Amino acid sequence: MDPRSDDGLNQFDELSGYNVFTTDRPLRDAVMAAGAQWAIPRLESYGAAVGSRQSFIEAEDANRHVPELSIFDQRGRRIDRVDFHPAWHAQMARYRNAGWISLPFRDDRPGRWVADMAGLYLQCQVESGSTCPSTMTWASIAVLQREAGLWTLLRDRLLSDEYDPRDLPIEQKRSIYIGMGMTEKQ
């Protein structure tokens, strides 16, 4: 066979449509070793959802369609809004709705941190961009708990398992993510 031929025999389809938890024996073993057996059904369910063909399609779309900045509305009024593709919202919602952000702060069972990190690991296998605001929110909780006034104001929104994609003032939102203002000029 001519090695320059372009018959595609060395190519294979992208892997999707499988349970990313049940097919990962080392991860399952780590969850068990950490005493988080109670999280296995939740991880199996999430592994099926995040590993679904639809989730892989959304991940691809979320990364292909970058956020769009709208500085002005049609009349020239300043709005400074960033619009995200619906697939981005789907990825963010799946992770948030599964409760991975709040799990270790609401549950005191053994292995809760390992169960939470297993959920993050499953998400990262399909779409890792959504894990930045998720882990920043997760990390901020421990810090904000030390500031009683801020924690009282933000607690319910940070610990919420309901994704709220609306661009609204924080007081009007059902849940919030914590992000970082980057320093790049663009």
Side-chain angles (χ1 to χ4, degrees):
M1 177 180 286
D2 183 351
R4 295 170 293 172
S5 93
D6 192 20
D7 59 12
L9 291 177
N10 68 338
Q11 299 299 311
F12 53 90
D13 292 336
E14 294 291 327
L15 182 61
S16 70
Y18 71 103
N19 190 312
V20 295
F21 180 71
T22 59
T23 57
D24 191 331
R25 177 80 186 251
L27 180 60
R28 291 177 50 192
D29 290 349
V31 169
M32 295 293 285
Q37 297 85 342
W38 54 268
I40 297 287
R42 184 179 194 165
L43 289 163
E44 287 175 347
S45 176
Y46 192 68
V50 79
S52 71
R53 177 146 172 69
Q54 180 63 32
S55 179
F56 275 88
I57 291 168
E58 291 164 356
E60 185 177 326
D61 285 346
N63 287 285
R64 182 182 319 120
H65 302 283
V66 298
E68 295 180 11
L69 173 62
S70 297
I71 299 173
F72 301 101
D73 70 9
Q74 293 173 329
R75 298 283 180 234
R77 293 174 291 228
R78 189 80 188 228
I79 57 171
D80 294 329
R81 184 183 71 229
V82 178
D83 293 313
F84 293 86
H85 191 273
W88 168 261
H89 289 295
Q91 289 291 316
M92 296 289 284
R94 183 177 295 110
Y95 189 78
R96 180 105 199 197
N97 296 345
W100 296 120
I101 290 174
S102 62
L103 173 72
F105 301 99
R106 285 204 243 176
D107 198 317
D108 61 356
R109 287 182 277 187
R112 68 186 183 274
W113 295 100
V114 170
D116 187 63
M117 289 299 102
L120 176 68
Y121 177 73
L122 296 175
Q123 179 68 25
C124 285
Q125 291 183 56
V126 177
E127 202 290 311
S128 59
S130 57
T131 64
C132 179
S134 299
T135 57
M136 291 189 71
T137 300
W138 175 86
S140 74
I141 292 172
V143 175
L144 291 170
Q145 285 176 329
R146 295 174 178 252
E147 295 291 332
L150 277 174
W151 181 242
T152 300
L153 177 68
L154 301 174
R155 175 187 57 237
D156 293 342
R157 290 175 185 94
L158 287 168
L159 296 180
S160 175
D161 290 343
E162 179 184 2
Y163 178 65
D164 187 347
R166 300 172 303 157
D167 184 10
L168 295 171
I170 199 169
E171 302 82 26
Q172 297 174 30
K173 292 191 57 80
R174 294 183 300 267
S175 67
I176 57 172
Y177 274 96
I178 301 293
M180 174 189 337
M182 303 302 281
T183 58
E184 290 85 356
K185 288 180 182 180
Q186 65 275 25

